Amino acid sequence: MKRVVYNFSPGPAALSKEVIQQAADEMTDWRGSGLSVMEMSHRGKEFTEILANAKNDLRALMSVPDNYKILFMQGGAIAENAIIPMNLVGRKPQQPATIDFINTGHWSVQTIEEAHKYAKVNIAASSEDRGFTYVPARDTWKLTPDAAYVHICTNETIGGVEFDYTPDVGDVPLVADMSSNILSREIDVSKHAVIYAGAQKNIGPSGVTIVIVREDMLGHALPSCPSAFDWKLVADHDSMYNTPPTYPIYIAGLTFQWLRRQGGVAAMEKINIQKAALVYDYLDSTDFYSNPVPAANRSRMNVPFRLRDESLNATFLAEAEKNDLVQLKGHSSVGGMRASIYNAMPIEGVQKLVAFMKDFEKRYG
Ligand SMILES: *Cc1c(COP(=O)(O)O)cnc(C)c1O
């Protein structure tokens, strides 16, 4: 018997069991080709079809307008922290250009640190005053009128803080790190100039980065930008300027098809609302556990929580593990626990987690 667990890892995270099974079935002979996807030429007809299908399915899932390119890149969201300014600051005649940031936590901070190498940084709003537990209201932002772009992180994976709206920033391009909530809720792509996401939270294995970019953002890369990171070159070569991460793209494609079979993003969003409510409603009903984020900004994907008595942390984790509820330890920078409940986490897993938390409270509360 193989062990079956509910995996609450923040990333690399759980994939749909159906996707894993399909990948296993196709591992040694992809659809009569006699080849594993790992062994295929990226320019051959089989892989060309895999990439085209992945792109088309993602376009359909997110209703990506025709004037946006979908790129499959490498380096993760952290590489994009450099790739984005290298591609966008050159749109401004005056250098250094200014980039506006909304600082909502760990991942925003990391993006901001990297941007200093390429531009002047303006922190237009920050939630640092209350330990990064909320999203600053749009009417408090101090934006720069001619900024190269405005950057937001729509879901802070560590703090568990999520935008519940898409901000209007006028004519300035809006750039969004959606690494940990892409495809979990309906969003209007046309309100963004660039959306990017590392795959390993809500899409597939690590190794591929999704970049959705409006066409007018292409063609402005700094001369020093590595060719493989120049969005225009990548787009002109249909993500094959260099050898793309073929296997992660294949698994991402299987996830996109699985999402379409589930009814698409709208259907996933409904389930994600229910899953998140199960955990937060329970957290709010007891003082044995706590979560510091106000309701409107609570992440549906990552639920950090603490035990009132933190000396029970190790016991909690060990007992959870015995109950097949794994990877619940919080990030070292904030401590406590974190349940990451991405699209691939079935509602049964969340129900089992809450039942375990209740039972644990009964025994130790
Ligand atoms: C995980 C994560 C990152 C970092 O992704 P890498 O793939 O390690 O580069 C950046 N931003 C957010 C919101 C994340 O969740």
Side-chain angles (χ1 to χ4, degrees):
M1 278 286 284
K2 289 211 174 107
R3 185 174 177 203
V4 178
V5 300
Y6 289 111
N7 175 9
F8 295 89
S9 169
L15 295 173
S16 148
K17 297 262 188 270
E18 262 179 62
V19 165
I20 301 266
Q21 189 56 54
Q22 186 178 351
D25 293 345
E26 296 179 339
M27 170 71 84
T28 53
D29 174 12
W30 185 79
R31 303 186 194 174
S33 66
L35 300 173
S36 167
V37 173
M38 285 178 273
E39 307 169 296
M40 288 174 182
S41 163
H42 57 299
R43 302 196 189 281
K45 81 170 175 8
E46 292 92 351
F47 187 75
T48 307
E49 181 189 325
I50 288 170
L51 184 114
N53 286 341
K55 208 167 55 173
N56 293 339
D57 284 328
L58 181 59
R59 194 175 284 280
L61 281 165
M62 293 182 70
S63 305
V64 177
D66 290 342
N67 62 327
Y68 286 72
K69 299 286 189 201
I70 295 176
L71 312 179
F72 297 99
M73 297 183 69
Q74 291 170 76
I78 291 177
E80 289 298 325
N81 286 343
I83 295 169
I84 293 164
M86 282 193 288
N87 277 273
L88 292 187
V89 295
R91 294 176 67 252
K92 289 284 150 188
Q94 294 277 314
Q95 296 297 327
T98 299
I99 307 171
D100 282 346
F101 286 93
I102 311 307
N103 187 6
T104 48
H106 178 101
W107 291 115
S108 300
V109 167
Q110 199 155 326
T111 306
I112 292 163
E113 278 171 9
E114 188 75 13
H116 281 289
K117 297 180 186 170
Y118 303 96
K120 271 193 289 195
V121 161
N122 173 46
I123 310 295
S126 171
S127 58
E128 195 170 4
D129 59 341
R130 280 190 266 140
F132 294 122
T133 52
Y134 67 102
V135 174
R138 172 65 187 86
D139 60 8
T140 65
W141 298 9
K142 297 196 166 54
L143 297 174
T144 312
D146 63 344
Y149 59 94
V150 181
H151 183 280
I152 60 173
C153 175
T154 55
N155 185 61
E156 286 284 355
T157 319
I158 293 171
V161 171
E162 183 169 12
F163 274 75
D164 59 330
Y165 66 102
T166 302
D168 183 351
V169 294
D171 293 334
V172 177
L174 178 65
V175 175
D177 178 357
M178 295 196 186
S179 292
S180 51
N181 71 346
I182 191 167
L183 292 165
S184 71
R185 62 194 299 148
E186 289 194 288
I187 54 128
D188 182 349
V189 173
S190 74
K191 290 182 172 163
H192 308 76
V194 180
I195 291 170
Y196 67 104
Q200 72 272 20
K201 313 302 173 40
N202 216 4
I203 293 176
S206 57
V208 61
T209 321
I210 308 291
V211 180
I212 302 171
V213 52
R214 204 171 63 212
E215 283 168 352
D216 60 325
M217 300 292 116
L218 303 174
H220 309 284
L222 298 176
S224 58
C225 179
S227 304
F229 291 161
D230 177 341
W231 287 337
K232 181 159 192 328
L233 271 182
V234 177
D236 287 349
H237 290 81
D238 200 11
S239 300
M240 300 229 198
Y241 178 78
N242 58 337
T243 310
T246 51
Y247 202 78
I249 291 171
Y250 158 68
I251 301 287
L254 295 185
T255 298
F256 299 151
Q257 286 166 13
W258 172 75
L259 287 171
R260 294 191 78 174
R261 292 199 297 278
Q262 308 311 301
V265 175
M268 293 318 297
E269 179 168 14
K270 265 193 203 149
I271 302 171
N272 287 331
I273 290 170
Q274 288 174 20
K275 280 154 48 183
L278 279 175
V279 190
Y280 287 117
D281 287 352
Y282 173 56
L283 290 174
D284 286 344
S285 73
T286 168
D287 58 8
F288 187 77
Y289 303 99
S290 63
N291 165 281
V293 182
N297 298 144
R298 281 174 165 175
S299 170
R300 293 177 188 159
M301 298 285 99
N302 312 94
V303 185
F305 62 91
R306 282 176 182 282
L307 277 64
R308 185 180 55 208
D309 176 0
E310 299 228 278
S311 71
L312 289 170
N313 283 357
T315 312
F316 180 92
L317 288 168
E319 290 197 13
E321 171 85 37
K322 266 192 211 135
N323 282 275
D324 297 324
L325 303 165
V326 305
Q327 309 232 43
L328 281 162
K329 193 173 174 21
H331 190 268
S332 55
S333 65
V334 293
M337 309 296 156
R338 171 173 45 166
S340 295
I341 50 175
Y342 300 115
N343 283 342
M345 172 61 65
I347 196 156
E348 294 76 23
V350 180
Q351 287 162 340
K352 186 165 172 179
L353 171 67
V354 172
F356 167 75
M357 289 169 67
K358 280 184 188 166
D359 181 61
F360 191 85
E361 176 182 357
K362 223 182 262 165
R363 288 182 293 113
Y364 293 96

